[in-house]
Amino acid sequence: MLHIENVNHIGIRIRDKSRSVHFYEQLGFQFMTDTGFDEGHPVVMRHPSGVVLNLLGAPEISGDCNILMDLPEKYTGITHIALTVSSLSEARQFMETNNIAITGSFEIPHMEAIFIRDPDGNVIELDDFVDNQTTGTGGFDQHV
């Protein structure tokens, strides 16, 4: 077994640096550094929770679709990031206040979630675990 201590960062390819930085700042991420976005290197953002994002330079293929989520064809690759929130009702209110569309939701035993998208269509799942059960896989057979 490989001993993994935590998730180091999440890399997301974006089209418009200022638009995406603003979106993630709304979620509480703080700009740390731009290591050369125009040359394809990441803009690094960090949330007070410890989650780190690397926003990478523009894609080489034009178009508005995120091929992992918006087209009928399904490709291999990362489909979304999931972040645990302390209150899903507060998250819903935050999205409404900030005009961020909730694009989906689901409930399974001990967990509720909503989905939002960043400006490039990347999916972010916000999870709220009931009864403080933040580990385990019970109910995930219903997670579609």
Side-chain angles (χ1 to χ4, degrees):
M1 174 176 68
L2 178 64
H3 179 74
I4 297 174
E5 295 179 357
N6 59 26
V7 174
N8 182 276
H9 66 273
I10 301 161
I12 303 172
R13 190 160 309 279
I14 60 172
R15 292 187 198 319
D16 182 311
K17 180 173 81 172
S18 62
R19 180 181 69 168
S20 292
V21 166
H22 173 72
F23 174 83
Y24 284 103
E25 284 176 338
Q26 283 184 289
L27 299 184
F29 286 86
Q30 299 168 343
F31 176 88
M32 301 301 291
T33 187
D34 181 340
T35 64
F37 181 82
D38 293 332
E39 291 81 39
H41 302 292
V43 169
V44 180
M45 299 189 76
R46 188 175 201 279
H47 192 273
S49 67
V51 175
V52 175
L53 298 179
N54 284 347
L55 303 179
L56 297 158
E60 295 176 0
I61 299 171
S62 64
D64 291 332
C65 291
N66 174 335
I67 63 170
L68 295 176
M69 300 304 295
D70 293 334
L71 297 179
E73 298 85 11
K74 300 299 179 196
Y75 297 86
T76 58
I78 296 172
T79 60
H80 66 284
I81 61 173
L83 305 173
T84 301
V85 296
S86 58
S87 167
L88 203 58
S89 61
E90 288 177 13
R92 286 179 188 275
Q93 180 60 46
F94 179 88
M95 298 310 147
E96 183 178 326
T97 299
N98 290 281
N99 296 314
I100 299 171
I102 296 173
T103 59
S105 64
F106 72 90
E107 291 183 37
I108 59 175
H110 307 289
M111 182 183 149
E112 296 179 57
I114 60 174
F115 294 94
I116 62 172
R117 291 182 182 233
D118 77 1
D120 290 297
N122 296 300
V123 176
I124 303 166
E125 177 181 325
L126 302 174
D127 297 335
D128 185 356
F129 291 87
V130 181
D131 302 325
N132 295 320
Q133 294 192 13
T134 58
T135 60
T137 57
F140 272 87
D141 56 338
Q142 301 170 33
H143 188 203
V144 183

